[in-house]
Amino acid sequence: MSTKAIEKTETNTRTCPMYKVIMHNDDVTSMDFVVMLLVSIFNREGPDAIKVMAEIHNTGSGLAGVYALEHAELKVDQCHSMARAQKFPLTCSIEPA
């Protein structure tokens, strides 16, 4: 009869810290443009994009998405570039999730 030692291994999986991309309300950027950004950049479905846009409009800000830092920064840059091309002052910010 042979006995085998059972080896127990532990793996420590570290996950990348996540960051929220927050869109902020302003008096110039159109609601349609905000919905378009939420759909095209943040891959939100139409009804969900409208709900987030309404939150941004009514409360002053809303959660566009949660991503790893570099991805969040890219999304913010894309929003700002598209907004500036249309002469909108839209701003987005990043905060830890």
Side-chain angles (χ1 to χ4, degrees), residues 14-89:
R14 291 178 46 185
T15 58
C16 187
M18 302 300 281
Y19 292 84
K20 298 178 195 176
V21 176
I22 308 295
M23 292 182 101
H24 301 278
N25 190 40
D26 62 70
D27 294 333
V28 179
T29 306
S30 73
M31 292 181 192
D32 289 339
F33 185 77
V34 171
V35 170
M36 185 275 300
L37 291 178
L38 290 165
V39 170
S40 65
I41 294 177
F42 297 97
N43 299 315
R44 297 289 192 127
E45 297 292 325
D48 185 44
I50 292 168
K51 181 180 171 188
V52 173
M53 176 277 299
E55 179 184 355
I56 294 165
H57 179 72
N58 293 324
T59 67
S61 64
L63 177 65
V66 179
Y67 306 95
L69 181 59
E70 287 183 5
H71 202 178
E73 291 172 335
L74 174 63
K75 300 272 187 195
V76 169
D77 287 344
Q78 290 173 329
C79 284
H80 289 169
S81 293
M82 291 177 77
R84 298 311 169 267
Q86 297 296 315
K87 307 275 193 255
F88 289 131

